[in-house]
Amino acid sequence: MERRELPDGFELSDARAIVTIRRPAKHIELIRCDGYAEAIHIELILKNREAILAECGRIALFDDLEDLRGYDSGVRLRLTDWGKKHRAQIVAFHILTRSRLVAMGVTVANLALGGHIRAHTNRASFDVALRKEKTRPGASTAGEIDELKNKSS
């Protein structure tokens, strides 16, 4: 798997998928999955989410799955289990998808999480939700995080 660093995150790619993980604000994880998600992709996403929780104590999830064609059978279960475990720390959970298969998986996961996921089928409403979360009082940008890290070094 190849890893490419980005100013606010990183991108992972292999033969089946491209997964981009960004952090547009201190407590926000924005992922984009193109292709077909496998267990290895999910474990890297969850590792990143755990790091955000360790730093912030809360997390807002924005999963852009618009170009996700499918996923391994254990992927939804692993993500749902993680969501149940951390439900009290998830302040927002938005998923964008256009695939019927992925939408069905989101519906099942949402039932298991008590309706905590806000599903989007169009880019505009997803982007509005992300913009609102980024500007919510108390949200810090990734740039502010870097400044704090540099000051403490």
Side-chain angles (χ1 to χ4, degrees), residues 80 84 87 104-117:
T80 302
K84 285 180 188 176
R87 186 167 177 224
M104 284 189 325
V106 170
T107 299
V108 171
N110 202 20
L111 289 171
L113 295 173
H116 199 60
I117 299 172

Side-chain angles (χ1 to χ4, degrees), residues 3-11 21-23:
R3 179 180 173 123
R4 182 172 65 98
E5 296 299 320
L6 303 170
D8 61 347
F10 56 95
E11 180 180 275
I21 302 175
R22 295 183 180 269
R23 198 165 171 190

Side-chain angles (χ1 to χ4, degrees), residues 8 10 19-32 41-42 44-52 58-64 79 82 92-94 126 130 133:
D8 61 347
F10 56 95
V19 178
T20 307
I21 302 175
R22 295 183 180 269
R23 198 165 171 190
K26 185 176 178 180
H27 72 290
I28 298 174
E29 181 193 57
L30 171 62
I31 67 164
R32 178 175 177 85
H41 305 124
I42 301 314
L44 293 168
I45 290 168
L46 294 181
K47 182 178 178 183
N48 190 66
R49 290 178 179 183
E50 291 289 344
I52 293 171
R58 64 191 170 99
I59 190 167
L61 303 171
F62 287 82
D63 295 356
D64 179 348
L79 288 170
W82 187 92
F93 198 163
H94 296 265
F126 181 82
L130 177 59
E133 186 63 33

